Amino acid sequence: MLATQQIESAIEDGLTKKRILFVDDEPNFLNGIRRMLRTYRDDWHMDFAGGVDEAVAMAENGAYDTIVSDVNMPMKSGLDLLEILRNREQTRNVPIIILTGNAESDLKRRALDIGATDLLNKPVAQDDLVARLRSVLRLKAYQDQILHQNETLERRVRERTVDLERARRDIIWRLAKAGEFRDEETGDHVIRVACCSRALAQELSMPPDEIQSIFLTSPLHDVGKIGIPDRILLKNGALTEDERAIMQRHCVIGASILQAQPKRISAFLDESSDYADDGKVQESDRLRDTAIQIIMTHHEKWDGSGYPNSIAGDAIPISGQIVAVADVYDAMRSERPYKRAFTVPETLDHMRPGRGSHFSPRVFDAFINIVSTFEEVRERFAQ
Ligand SMILES: [Fe+2]
Ligand SMILES: [Fe+2]
């Protein structure tokens, strides 16, 4: 029977009719079975194959609930059929009943060894065959049910994971926006810093999960500006030394927002959560660590003249080194109430002397390689 015919007849039968394939090289035997099971035609859809190759082709497309095969056939035997079907994804779990002669005990053992579901003696008595088919079909129905439940569960877990991931990203972006609201910078600045930081991390061949952490958390670099008084944050003109010192506190304030919760708060959060602890908790710890690193170090400088801790060189985490470059570039290329936007050559002229003093030489060189990517990001997320 052609594959399409088989599929069509499967659809016609609907899902209620069980599908059985009988395999034997003797047409008389198959006709006998056909006659024997005539009264079951309403419950069972029955197909017949005259050899192993034909049976394999039919089984791959036919979605049978059970296969009944003779063992002794010319060319390929029923054991060959077993072996082939057990090694193929589509037919691995189909119950297979093997028909043997009464005395063939060795063959029976081998058949069970390579995955026969059940054995039946030839010649076949109708009662025996029907009883055996019923029990094997019941087994197959349980199997299908479990498989279906597993698939449903897996799909639900996948959907829930996507939901959680989306909620987490959403919260990060909103928190970043809260920081930017108080600043002269627009929300697009943090998106550009995130995209450019990701491009830099990729150019530096960092591991994919670290690239993703930097991308997700770099928008938070200035979240601490929430805690800076308006008179300083929005002041027109240069800041006094004291005011600058207060302004520089945005790093420490930002980090304290993200720092681990005091015990009583995390206990409260655990109580109000419906979900058990899982891998996601560890992952969110990692994200929080990266966020704190970036917030604390995006104003540090390679030569140790930055703030808040005046750390130098590779004591500055790579995430902070990266965001420092992306943040300065975007600020220079953007218009502010007190300045126009610098052109690309002006910006590069201004930043170049900072290689090895303000900026990490390695990160700066990577940045020079991908200035065009930075500009594509600016075009996509224009002010
Ligand atoms: Fe900052
Ligand atoms: Fe910024």
Side-chain angles (χ1 to χ4, degrees):
M1 201 188 288
L2 287 173
T4 43
Q5 279 176 315
Q6 276 177 262
I7 291 164
E8 274 166 20
S9 69
I11 292 167
E12 268 172 34
D13 287 346
L15 293 170
T16 50
K17 235 175 176 180
K18 298 297 177 192
R19 298 173 54 76
I20 307 170
L21 174 65
F22 293 90
V23 190
D24 200 303
D25 59 310
E26 293 169 41
N28 282 344
F29 177 80
L30 292 179
N31 282 333
I33 295 278
R34 208 189 301 259
R35 271 196 306 277
M36 196 185 273
L37 299 178
R38 214 174 23 223
T39 47
Y40 295 91
R41 273 185 311 208
D42 287 345
D43 300 326
W44 297 341
H45 171 96
M46 291 174 268
D47 283 331
F48 300 87
V52 170
D53 290 337
E54 190 186 351
V56 170
M58 289 171 79
E60 292 217 313
N61 298 304
Y64 290 104
D65 294 296
T66 292
I67 295 172
V68 182
S69 174
D70 185 22
V71 76
N72 293 315
M73 289 182 280
M75 313 281 277
K76 288 175 188 160
S77 73
L79 298 187
D80 294 327
L81 177 67
L82 253 181
E83 212 151 19
I84 296 169
L85 296 182
R86 288 291 175 249
N87 283 318
R88 297 197 180 185
E89 188 61 38
Q90 301 100 304
T91 54
R92 183 160 296 151
N93 299 314
V94 187
I96 302 174
I97 299 173
I98 293 290
L99 304 173
T100 62
N102 206 2
E104 299 171 309
S105 53
D106 259 10
L107 259 181
K108 289 178 180 175
R109 210 168 304 127
R110 278 196 54 212
L112 289 172
D113 274 354
I114 52 179
T117 313
D118 211 341
L119 304 169
L120 206 53
N121 284 337
K122 246 179 152 183
V124 183
Q126 181 181 19
D127 288 355
D128 265 358
L129 179 60
V130 170
R132 213 56 67 89
L133 278 173
R134 281 203 172 123
S135 93
V136 165
L137 285 170
R138 207 174 307 127
L139 176 85
K140 174 68 164 40
Y142 286 137
Q143 232 178 48
D144 288 350
Q145 210 179 340
I146 290 170
L147 212 71
H148 178 70
Q149 278 172 352
N150 282 350
E151 278 167 11
T152 310
L153 267 177
E154 273 169 24
R155 201 189 52 241
R156 285 210 191 122
V157 168
R158 266 198 310 275
E159 284 168 2
R160 185 57 60 83
T161 310
V162 169
D163 280 354
L164 273 176
E165 181 63 26
R166 196 172 293 141
R168 207 159 50 132
R169 284 175 192 212
D170 194 60
I171 288 169
I172 292 174
W173 286 103
R174 280 170 201 277
L175 191 55
K177 235 165 124 184
E180 296 294 331
F181 253 127
R182 308 231 30 246
D183 204 352
E184 78 277 10
E185 289 167 339
T186 68
D188 286 350
H189 166 72
V190 293
I191 296 180
R192 290 192 300 263
V193 169
C195 293
C196 293
S197 297
R198 175 173 58 185
L200 268 176
Q202 280 164 344
E203 179 67 15
L204 290 163
S205 307
M206 288 178 68
D209 56 335
E210 288 179 32
I211 295 174
Q212 184 69 353
S213 296
I214 290 175
F215 173 63
L216 286 176
T217 59
S218 51
L220 294 172
H221 64 275
D222 274 343
V223 70
K225 285 185 178 171
I226 292 173
I228 303 298
D230 280 357
R231 66 182 166 81
I232 296 171
L233 196 64
L234 307 175
K235 183 179 176 184
N236 260 333
L239 299 179
T240 66
E241 203 154 307
D242 283 351
E243 287 168 341
R244 193 170 312 118
I246 293 172
M247 183 67 166
Q248 292 182 353
R249 292 195 59 232
H250 78 270
C251 301
V252 177
I253 295 169
S256 72
I257 293 173
L258 273 277
Q259 230 104 52
Q261 310 281 2
K263 266 214 175 85
R264 65 196 158 78
I265 307 270
S266 47
F268 162 74
L269 289 175
D270 286 347
E271 267 169 39
S272 49
S273 167
D274 291 339
Y275 303 105
D277 193 332
D278 63 7
K280 284 277 157 205
V281 174
Q282 271 177 10
E283 204 184 317
S284 73
D285 282 351
R286 192 164 55 87
L287 272 187
R288 198 172 55 196
D289 289 347
T290 309
I292 293 171
Q293 276 178 356
I294 289 173
I295 292 167
M296 280 299 283
T297 62
H298 70 284
H299 290 293
E300 296 290 359
K301 293 184 178 174
W302 188 252
D303 62 6
S305 67
Y307 68 87
N309 290 320
S310 306
I311 48 176
D314 278 321
I316 307 167
I318 184 74
S319 55
Q321 298 174 20
I322 286 174
V323 174
V325 173
D327 192 28
V328 167
Y329 183 86
D330 195 70
M332 294 203 66
R333 290 281 292 121
S334 304
E335 196 183 321
R336 294 280 180 268
Y338 52 86
K339 77 169 207 23
R340 65 173 173 85
F342 290 111
T343 64
V344 174
E346 283 169 348
T347 304
L348 292 181
D349 282 350
H350 191 274
M351 287 177 73
R352 211 168 259 123
R355 182 189 184 277
S357 56
H358 185 163
F359 307 113
S360 143
R362 192 164 72 96
V363 175
F364 190 84
D365 293 344
F367 153 67
I368 291 298
N369 289 341
I370 57 165
V371 173
S372 60
T373 309
F374 274 42
E375 282 303 303
E376 280 162 24
V377 169
R378 285 197 65 79
E379 252 166 53
R380 204 169 144 213
F381 303 103
Q383 262 186 322

